[in-house]
Amino acid sequence: RVGVELCRHPALFMPPPTSGSHPLSLQSIRETLIRQEDTIIFALIERAQYRANDVCYQPGARAFAAIAGPSESFLESMLLETERMHARVRRYTSPDEHAFFPRALPPPSLPLLDFPALLHPCSVNLNPQILEVYLHKVLPAVTQPGDDTQHGSSVVADVAVLQAISKRVHYGLFVAESKFRAKPEEYTALIRGNDEEGIMRLLTNTAVEERVLRRVRRKAFTFGQDIEADESVLGLSEAESRCGAAEVPASAPLKLDPEAIVRLYHDFIIPLTKEAEVAYLLQRLGNTRVAFHGPVENGPCHRLAVRHFEPPPATASSGSKLIECESALGVYEAVLSNRAFLGIVLLEQADLGVLPAAKQLFAQYPLQIVAELSDAAADRAAGRTRCVVVCKRNALPPPTGRDKTMLLLGLRGRRR
């Protein structure tokens, strides 16, 4: 089985150790999480200036029939259209970005980027839970009841909050990878035993969580105040005004109750982040994910993916996961963004010969061909059908450059 051999490469399971400046170092992770706190708090303050405006979240509301579909809300329509625009500039090819509507997005219009392989390919996406929590828990806590007709401004602010919370929650994947590298033996034993409770206990650091809540409380109180430009209004002396050392009085009006933001972190953001960490770790030792060019039904790439990479039912819980992509470009996007370790691309069909789009991708992007697969069923029915397996440079031993696929594409001797 080609899939078994390709998925055994040791680099998948033991990445190089991190340094102090590495993106997975504790210092780097802490700085990123602190910046994300600022973004979330400011976004919540922005949303809190408007009323609840419940009509924005009702599927099929007549007020937005010209924009939203019959089964979607104004918020869902705005969020989808925003993600479509962002997808065209390749936002969701980044490993730290996760879309709410991943199956409804167009391919990037800009050239794909080759991201460093920091994470093990996984299928973690908690955005459905995040949207549910936001609608039923967060909005009632940060907005006043009623309708102020500021519907467009409200959902624009909603989108900013949702994207900020999603990024914070899914950054748990990077946290989990860092923790795994620090204690690989302990986590490996728990993962192999499918011990979710044990993994949760090992990754939980109550002291760090309490520091986060204290920091969020202070930020929410500080950011939520109306700061007067006229120092005399606050009773500051000339010296205090020059040095900026004086604190704003605690009696200053607040745009949003700081405790509402603290509860959001305590009840939802931190638990969802840890849920993402556990879900990632449970997939950390499984066979790599494989992207293939669809469609699923009767497609040669799908048949070859199942034949060579899909694990037997007895091991499916820890085995590979197949990712259907609508185009060969989608397969490349999945591999370059590290959502998949391997990609299966249709190269040749009997009636069409070598597909120009596939040949162009091989020449344009720095992926290497590591295997060639043929579909015997399709060959018997309609002549030769050939697919190739691609992965990132240095992820597997390089090809010789002398195989017939390399010769056919004119890539022999090229440094890939």
Side-chain angles (χ1 to χ4, degrees), residues 225-236 241 248-249 252-253 255:
Q225 297 184 37
D226 285 317
I227 308 300
E228 293 287 351
D230 186 356
E231 292 82 3
S232 63
V233 175
L234 299 177
L236 303 182
S241 175
V248 178
K255 303 182 183 76

Side-chain angles (χ1 to χ4, degrees), residues 78-92:
M78 179 69 77
L79 182 57
L80 174 58
E81 293 304 319
T82 301
E83 290 194 337
R84 283 175 172 165
M85 179 181 65
H86 291 180
R88 288 196 288 270
V89 293
R90 65 193 176 204
R91 173 173 185 168
Y92 301 107

